[in-house]
Amino acid sequence: MRIGNRVIALLLAGAALFPAGRAEARELMFQTPYQGDHVLNSRLFKPWFKQLERESGGSLHIVFRREGELVPARNALPSLMRGRLDMAGINAQYQESIFPYTMAFTAPYLTHDSIQAGALCQRALALPEVAAEWEKAGKTLFAWGSDRSGLFSTVGPVLSPAELRGKRVIIWGLSQMDQVRSWGGIPVHVSPRDTFMALERKLGDVFFGPLPTGVAYGLLELEAVRDITVLPATTVFLAFVVNHEVWNSLSARERALMEKSAAGKSVEAGQLLYERTNQDMETMRKAGRSVHVLTPAQFQAFKAANRSLLANLWVNKLQKLGVRDAKAFLRLAQEMADQTPGAPGSPE
């Protein structure tokens, strides 16, 4: 009887240490699509994961991993679908064949800032064609757009598409090639980490990419880069996706908690990107660079230069990806963009 009493006492002591209602912690691996201290890493993902852990009583323990730490960024989607990643920020442009309808929302220039891009991407998830694509990937909680883009020039200010004719334009994504060619520029494709070297060695005259790159990749250290032009946003469709098996393994309470707390994250991401871009623009000015914000007329000139791209090259691209009636779907994306507000004071 004494042994039995001791066992009961130990069980009661264990129950006191691990009270009912507190689930056993389970580590879920998340890989961000961003490097280092990117604003969405520090101010969106990490605080959100801490909030989820608190509100779940410790049952949702999401381990944050930097871009490329577990798998290369381009392999994030297949790794997520195979279960090597539990959760990830997915860039649709790395897997265009899986996301043909989604890609219609990355056409230049549907949006003029990251606030509008984030809201538009989230709205796009409600379309049956887009929703079906992301259902293949996993449980998609929210989507967001990209930073505003810019032109970092070593050959003077670039304030119109005509000023890019004949110039070598450094780009990161193959999706930018047609856009640069439509301006009359010569695209030079490099990896993000080679951007500084490419400008330093004069492999290109202009870098066309996200504005915060000027700070993050040290482009302001290059004396030759004197002028930066702020362009409308070239939307990159990104989404927070959970592996299907992982999602189904969560309790109903945990799923409801994640869905509820994810609401509004795309808008929050757009606002954070917009604020960070404004801070980076100020950093560029303090570094002695000329930051050129387009006037409404100049903005319309860049937008008009892409009309032929949207009408011809981009329609052909979507058709090759398998979009039925690409013209009509691209027109729908444009209409949705026009109906989606951006930051106060942005050019229309």
Side-chain angles (χ1 to χ4, degrees), residues 20-317:
R22 181 175 179 84
E24 183 180 349
R26 171 188 173 192
E27 288 191 349
L28 300 172
M29 305 303 294
F30 167 83
Q31 180 169 293
T32 177
Y34 297 111
Q35 294 185 355
D37 64 347
H38 190 283
V39 65
L40 294 193
N41 290 342
S42 60
R43 293 182 57 191
L44 187 137
F45 292 126
K46 290 181 179 179
W48 184 42
F49 297 161
K50 288 179 180 177
Q51 173 197 340
L52 282 172
E53 185 164 8
R54 285 194 308 271
E55 294 181 355
S56 69
S59 66
L60 285 174
H61 179 57
I62 302 173
V63 180
F64 177 90
R65 289 289 181 260
R66 289 172 294 188
E67 182 268 334
E69 189 172 346
L70 297 176
V71 300
R74 290 182 179 275
N75 295 340
L77 178 60
S79 296
L80 177 85
M81 294 172 74
R82 289 196 298 266
R84 187 176 174 189
L85 294 174
D86 298 318
M87 307 172 180
I90 299 299
N91 185 339
Q93 289 183 323
Y94 287 148
Q95 303 285 342
E96 292 186 0
S97 62
I98 297 178
F99 300 111
Y101 285 92
T102 299
M103 293 309 298
F105 289 87
T106 70
Y109 283 113
L110 294 184
T111 60
H112 46 70
D113 60 55
S114 50
I115 292 178
Q116 185 184 23
L120 176 64
C121 289
Q122 186 66 23
R123 287 185 63 195
L125 282 179
L127 294 175
E129 299 90 342
V130 176
E133 292 173 353
W134 287 95
E135 176 62 23
K136 299 174 190 173
K139 173 63 178 180
T140 304
L141 291 178
F142 62 92
W144 69 98
S146 65
D147 306 316
R148 281 171 287 178
S149 54
L151 297 168
F152 294 77
S153 175
T154 64
V155 288
V158 177
L159 301 177
S160 73
E163 290 165 359
L164 286 172
R165 286 179 190 151
K167 292 183 173 62
R168 293 163 299 172
V169 181
I170 296 168
I171 59 172
W172 288 354
L174 296 175
S175 60
Q176 296 171 289
M177 281 195 170
D178 288 338
Q179 190 173 354
V180 169
R181 287 174 179 144
S182 75
W183 292 334
I186 303 165
V188 179
H189 186 224
V190 304
S191 70
R193 297 180 189 279
D194 292 335
T195 308
F196 183 99
M197 176 275 295
L199 282 170
E200 184 180 42
R201 297 185 183 179
K202 303 187 186 304
L203 300 180
D205 308 301
V206 179
F207 166 67
F208 168 38
L211 271 177
T213 300
V215 176
Y217 286 82
L219 299 191
L220 302 187
E221 297 171 17
L222 281 171
E223 189 63 28
V225 177
R226 303 302 306 172
D227 295 277
I228 298 102
T229 300
V230 182
L231 291 180
T234 301
T235 306
V236 176
F237 198 113
L238 299 112
F240 185 99
V241 187
V242 184
N243 169 274
H244 272 307
E245 289 187 8
V246 170
W247 181 256
N248 292 334
S249 73
L250 299 177
S251 69
R253 177 177 175 273
E254 289 168 338
R255 291 196 295 268
L257 179 61
M258 288 192 71
E259 287 186 294
K260 181 180 179 181
S261 65
K265 291 294 178 185
S266 61
V267 174
E268 183 180 348
Q271 290 170 336
L272 288 170
L273 289 170
Y274 187 77
E275 292 168 8
R276 178 57 182 266
T277 301
N278 287 336
Q279 292 171 9
D280 285 342
M281 286 164 57
E282 188 57 31
T283 298
M284 294 172 195
R285 292 189 183 100
K286 289 179 179 178
R289 302 305 188 259
S290 296
V291 179
H292 307 278
V293 178
L294 298 176
T295 66
Q298 290 168 332
F299 173 89
Q300 289 302 328
F302 271 95
K303 199 167 182 178
N306 284 283
R307 283 179 188 153
S308 61
L309 181 72
L310 293 175
N312 300 309
L313 296 175
W314 204 259
V315 169
N316 291 336
K317 174 187 177 73

